[in-house]
Structures are given as C-alpha cells and as structure tokens.
Amino acid sequence: MRVVSFGDLGAAELDTWHALRAANPALDSPYFHPGFAAAVHAAGRAVQVAVATGGGGIVALVAYHREGRLLRPVGWPGADFQGPVVAAGGEFRPLDLLRGGPTGYAFDHLVDRAPGFEPWVVSRRPSPYLDVTGGLAGYLGRASKSGKDNMGQARRRAAKAEREHGAVRFVADSADPEALARVIALKRAQYAATGARDYFAEPDRARLLESLWRTRDGSFGGVLSTLHAGPRLLAAHFGLRAGGVLHWWFPVYDPEFARLSPGWILLRELVGAAPALGISRIDLGRGEDEYKRRAKTGQTQVGQGLVTRNPVRRAAASAMVHARAILRDVRTRTQP
C-alpha cells in the first residue's frame, strides 16, 4: 500500500476508482465518488489516498484526512457513508492503513459489510432511505402509514401556505447563489439554537458546498432544492447526487413557518420530482429522527469504531460510543 495526495492521483488511478465503485452496488452513495474527495481537497482540506495493489493492479483505495497520528474518512465530520473503495467481494486489511506512523483510523458512518472491518466495529446505527422509484405514486405504494399520512398533511399544508402567503413554487435543482447562502445561514442559526456544533464554523466547509453546487458533470454534483410561498423561502435542501442516488444532507426551513411543516412539503415535492431528476433513492443519513422514521421505506446500517493496534485505545473508543448511545437513549425517552 502506498499513500499519495489526492492531487497527485493520475488518470489511470481515477479511472480505477470509478471502475471499482461501479462494480460494487454498496458504494453507490455519492460520498464514494472521487468527485467528493476532489471537492473536499480543492476546498482547502488536504485529502490523502491509500492505494492498495495486488495481482498487478489496484484493488482498493481509501481517501482520508490525517490529524496528527489519527486518520479520519474523507469529508469527516460531514461524510455520511465511509469505507474503502473496493470491488464487491474484494478483500481489504484495515490495519494496513496504519503503516508509517498513524495509530488509528476512526470511523462513524462505515458502510454495511465493509470488507475487513468487522473486528473494529463497536456499534451500529440505522441509516434510513426512501425508495422513490416511480416518483410520489411509487413511494406512497411502499411507504408506511405514517409516511403516507405525513405526505397527505404536506399536501394540505402546501395549499394552506399558498392561501396565506402566495403561490407555492418548488425548484428541484436551483441555480440561485443567494438560496445557497440562505441554506448555510439558516443551518448555522439552527446549530446555534440547538447548541449543536456548527459544521460551518470552518471556512472550508462553505467553500465545499459552493464547489459541489457548481459541479455539473452529469454523474455527480450538488443539488439545491428550494420551496417558496410568494416571495418567501419556506424551506430548502442541499444534497449530493451521484447517478440515481441523492443524499439528503443539509435540510433547512424558516422557523417563522414551522407550523406549516415546510420540510415535509419540500420532501414531498422532491419525491415527486425524482423521476425527472433520474433519482431512484434518497438516502436520509444516519439517525433516529422522527421524520426519518416516518418517511423511510427501508434502512441500512452504518458502523462506528476505531481501527487500532492498541487494545487500550480500542476499549476507550468502545466505551465512548456506548456512553453516547446511552445518553441518546435517555434524551429520546425524556423528550415530551
């Protein structure tokens, strides 16, 4: 295994990356597309790539950041799927990542059944998705009762928004830079209001969204969707798209219109627009949020853990993950 800067990868290595990803359906998330690593690297956060070879060719690639002696998956903490880019049925030795000085590879959204990682996974959490094949009608045929009910309520609330605030207008793939700036501003306000860590406190992350939004190569890029009532932006979403998969990444809404549940209205419109966009699945990302539980048609699992040769560090990482799970469960049970 050798390690190179993403910027030093050649055309042959990038072609192999595309080929390995295409050969493995488990890697259809846009986070595994080399375009994501390229955008992160170009935004100012250095990306390194471990290139594993065997049998005369490249058999796996892993893009990551190095923080001192710890390795993090590319795009962390904003990467909702992580793991090696390897062909289906291929093999990978995670400990090989620690050659040359690193003491650990920490992951928190490891794709299900990533080869070689099972000994290092200390917990798993659900990552829901919507099968939107056939658009809204197809989705409703697969949705749970609560999903159908919420979509019905979204339709009625859209009509109410139109009566009270003006014509409702949905744009599935907006080219408005002011709308993107508004998404970031609303998300930062949400972080401040809830006490969550501000993802956009690091300047490179706003640059990352801007770069992804400008990417339009047909197979990969950012997608900005907006929902207006009259002149007002009710809700918006910035996500990543690769092929037929859209990742639900940064949804926001104007708190002034919270009673209309504008996020559900936007999601309903996006599901309806899915066939025209060429999208068959919307990944909602890890989490047990109420709206995800209601909206999903299925789910996969993502793993949390630490690849390390140090048993003490591994035990500490396991204890931390389980402590967070207990705290999360307590918060869920005590919510009104």
Side-chain angles (χ1 to χ4, degrees), residues 171-177 179 213 216 223-226:
V171 179
D173 192 2
S174 173
D176 182 1
W213 174 66
R216 292 287 191 275
V223 178
L224 174 62
S225 303
T226 60

PDB file of all heavy atoms in Angstrom, residues 171-177 179 213 216 223-226:
ATOM      1  N   VAL A 171     -38.453  24.455  -6.742  1.00  0.00           N
ATOM      2  CA  VAL A 171     -37.404  24.316  -7.748  1.00  0.00           C
ATOM      3  C   VAL A 171     -36.525  23.138  -7.323  1.00  0.00           C
ATOM      4  O   VAL A 171     -35.891  23.170  -6.264  1.00  0.00           O
ATOM      5  CB  VAL A 171     -36.550  25.592  -7.879  1.00  0.00           C
ATOM      6  CG1 VAL A 171     -35.451  25.396  -8.912  1.00  0.00           C
ATOM      7  CG2 VAL A 171     -37.420  26.787  -8.250  1.00  0.00           C
ATOM      8  N   ALA A 172     -36.500  22.093  -8.126  1.00  0.00           N
ATOM      9  CA  ALA A 172     -35.787  20.871  -7.754  1.00  0.00           C
ATOM     10  C   ALA A 172     -34.280  21.041  -7.790  1.00  0.00           C
ATOM     11  O   ALA A 172     -33.556  20.467  -6.962  1.00  0.00           O
ATOM     12  CB  ALA A 172     -36.200  19.725  -8.677  1.00  0.00           C
ATOM     13  N   ASP A 173     -33.771  21.810  -8.750  1.00  0.00           N
ATOM     14  CA  ASP A 173     -32.321  21.970  -8.914  1.00  0.00           C
ATOM     15  C   ASP A 173     -32.044  23.445  -9.189  1.00  0.00           C
ATOM     16  O   ASP A 173     -31.947  23.878 -10.330  1.00  0.00           O
ATOM     17  CB  ASP A 173     -31.840  21.088 -10.070  1.00  0.00           C
ATOM     18  CG  ASP A 173     -30.318  20.966 -10.132  1.00  0.00           C
ATOM     19  OD1 ASP A 173     -29.642  21.541  -9.256  1.00  0.00           O
ATOM     20  OD2 ASP A 173     -29.818  20.312 -11.057  1.00  0.00           O
ATOM     21  N   SER A 174     -31.933  24.215  -8.120  1.00  0.00           N
ATOM     22  CA  SER A 174     -31.834  25.668  -8.225  1.00  0.00           C
ATOM     23  C   SER A 174     -30.416  26.119  -8.570  1.00  0.00           C
ATOM     24  O   SER A 174     -29.425  25.551  -8.096  1.00  0.00           O
ATOM     25  CB  SER A 174     -32.261  26.323  -6.910  1.00  0.00           C
ATOM     26  OG  SER A 174     -32.021  27.715  -6.926  1.00  0.00           O
ATOM     27  N   ALA A 175     -30.339  27.179  -9.370  1.00  0.00           N
ATOM     28  CA  ALA A 175     -29.063  27.799  -9.727  1.00  0.00           C
ATOM     29  C   ALA A 175     -28.910  29.161  -9.059  1.00  0.00           C
ATOM     30  O   ALA A 175     -28.109  29.993  -9.508  1.00  0.00           O
ATOM     31  CB  ALA A 175     -28.957  27.946 -11.244  1.00  0.00           C
ATOM     32  N   ASP A 176     -29.639  29.393  -7.979  1.00  0.00           N
ATOM     33  CA  ASP A 176     -29.642  30.683  -7.295  1.00  0.00           C
ATOM     34  C   ASP A 176     -28.589  30.707  -6.187  1.00  0.00           C
ATOM     35  O   ASP A 176     -28.757  30.035  -5.160  1.00  0.00           O
ATOM     36  CB  ASP A 176     -31.029  30.938  -6.705  1.00  0.00           C
ATOM     37  CG  ASP A 176     -31.142  32.288  -6.007  1.00  0.00           C
ATOM     38  OD1 ASP A 176     -30.148  33.038  -5.992  1.00  0.00           O
ATOM     39  OD2 ASP A 176     -32.222  32.594  -5.473  1.00  0.00           O
ATOM     40  N   PRO A 177     -27.503  31.476  -6.332  1.00  0.00           N
ATOM     41  CA  PRO A 177     -26.464  31.506  -5.289  1.00  0.00           C
ATOM     42  C   PRO A 177     -26.969  32.086  -3.977  1.00  0.00           C
ATOM     43  O   PRO A 177     -26.481  31.717  -2.898  1.00  0.00           O
ATOM     44  CB  PRO A 177     -25.371  32.379  -5.911  1.00  0.00           C
ATOM     45  CG  PRO A 177     -26.055  33.197  -6.949  1.00  0.00           C
ATOM     46  CD  PRO A 177     -27.158  32.347  -7.467  1.00  0.00           C
ATOM     47  N   ALA A 179     -29.848  31.558  -2.684  1.00  0.00           N
ATOM     48  CA  ALA A 179     -30.552  30.482  -1.987  1.00  0.00           C
ATOM     49  C   ALA A 179     -29.558  29.574  -1.260  1.00  0.00           C
ATOM     50  O   ALA A 179     -29.823  29.134  -0.133  1.00  0.00           O
ATOM     51  CB  ALA A 179     -31.387  29.670  -2.971  1.00  0.00           C
ATOM     52  N   TRP A 213     -21.967  22.531  -5.468  1.00  0.00           N
ATOM     53  CA  TRP A 213     -23.135  23.102  -6.143  1.00  0.00           C
ATOM     54  C   TRP A 213     -22.806  23.496  -7.579  1.00  0.00           C
ATOM     55  O   TRP A 213     -23.638  23.372  -8.474  1.00  0.00           O
ATOM     56  CB  TRP A 213     -23.618  24.306  -5.344  1.00  0.00           C
ATOM     57  CG  TRP A 213     -24.713  25.093  -5.976  1.00  0.00           C
ATOM     58  CD1 TRP A 213     -25.991  24.679  -6.224  1.00  0.00           C
ATOM     59  CD2 TRP A 213     -24.633  26.438  -6.445  1.00  0.00           C
ATOM     60  NE1 TRP A 213     -26.708  25.688  -6.808  1.00  0.00           N
ATOM     61  CE2 TRP A 213     -25.903  26.781  -6.952  1.00  0.00           C
ATOM     62  CE3 TRP A 213     -23.615  27.393  -6.474  1.00  0.00           C
ATOM     63  CZ2 TRP A 213     -26.164  28.036  -7.491  1.00  0.00           C
ATOM     64  CZ3 TRP A 213     -23.879  28.641  -6.996  1.00  0.00           C
ATOM     65  CH2 TRP A 213     -25.144  28.954  -7.503  1.00  0.00           C
ATOM     66  N   ARG A 216     -21.330  20.144 -12.262  1.00  0.00           N
ATOM     67  CA  ARG A 216     -22.425  19.685 -13.127  1.00  0.00           C
ATOM     68  C   ARG A 216     -21.848  18.792 -14.229  1.00  0.00           C
ATOM     69  O   ARG A 216     -21.802  19.150 -15.383  1.00  0.00           O
ATOM     70  CB  ARG A 216     -23.141  20.879 -13.777  1.00  0.00           C
ATOM     71  CG  ARG A 216     -23.930  21.750 -12.818  1.00  0.00           C
ATOM     72  CD  ARG A 216     -25.211  21.041 -12.368  1.00  0.00           C
ATOM     73  NE  ARG A 216     -26.098  21.952 -11.649  1.00  0.00           N
ATOM     74  CZ  ARG A 216     -25.994  22.215 -10.355  1.00  0.00           C
ATOM     75  NH1 ARG A 216     -25.019  21.660  -9.663  1.00  0.00           N
ATOM     76  NH2 ARG A 216     -26.849  23.029  -9.768  1.00  0.00           N
ATOM     77  N   VAL A 223     -26.976  19.288  -5.362  1.00  0.00           N
ATOM     78  CA  VAL A 223     -28.340  19.608  -5.802  1.00  0.00           C
ATOM     79  C   VAL A 223     -28.971  20.505  -4.739  1.00  0.00           C
ATOM     80  O   VAL A 223     -29.078  20.118  -3.570  1.00  0.00           O
ATOM     81  CB  VAL A 223     -29.194  18.347  -5.995  1.00  0.00           C
ATOM     82  CG1 VAL A 223     -30.617  18.721  -6.395  1.00  0.00           C
ATOM     83  CG2 VAL A 223     -28.569  17.433  -7.042  1.00  0.00           C
ATOM     84  N   LEU A 224     -29.373  21.699  -5.153  1.00  0.00           N
ATOM     85  CA  LEU A 224     -30.019  22.653  -4.262  1.00  0.00           C
ATOM     86  C   LEU A 224     -31.497  22.737  -4.635  1.00  0.00           C
ATOM     87  O   LEU A 224     -31.844  23.107  -5.757  1.00  0.00           O
ATOM     88  CB  LEU A 224     -29.359  24.024  -4.398  1.00  0.00           C
ATOM     89  CG  LEU A 224     -30.004  25.191  -3.645  1.00  0.00           C
ATOM     90  CD1 LEU A 224     -29.971  24.946  -2.140  1.00  0.00           C
ATOM     91  CD2 LEU A 224     -29.313  26.499  -4.002  1.00  0.00           C
ATOM     92  N   SER A 225     -32.368  22.384  -3.695  1.00  0.00           N
ATOM     93  CA  SER A 225     -33.817  22.421  -3.925  1.00  0.00           C
ATOM     94  C   SER A 225     -34.441  23.467  -3.012  1.00  0.00           C
ATOM     95  O   SER A 225     -34.080  23.560  -1.831  1.00  0.00           O
ATOM     96  CB  SER A 225     -34.442  21.054  -3.648  1.00  0.00           C
ATOM     97  OG  SER A 225     -33.849  20.043  -4.449  1.00  0.00           O
ATOM     98  N   THR A 226     -35.376  24.245  -3.555  1.00  0.00           N
ATOM     99  CA  THR A 226     -35.980  25.330  -2.781  1.00  0.00           C
ATOM    100  C   THR A 226     -37.495  25.287  -2.853  1.00  0.00           C
ATOM    101  O   THR A 226     -38.083  24.821  -3.831  1.00  0.00           O
ATOM    102  CB  THR A 226     -35.503  26.704  -3.301  1.00  0.00           C
ATOM    103  OG1 THR A 226     -35.872  26.850  -4.685  1.00  0.00           O
ATOM    104  CG2 THR A 226     -33.992  26.840  -3.164  1.00  0.00           C
TER     105      THR A 226
END
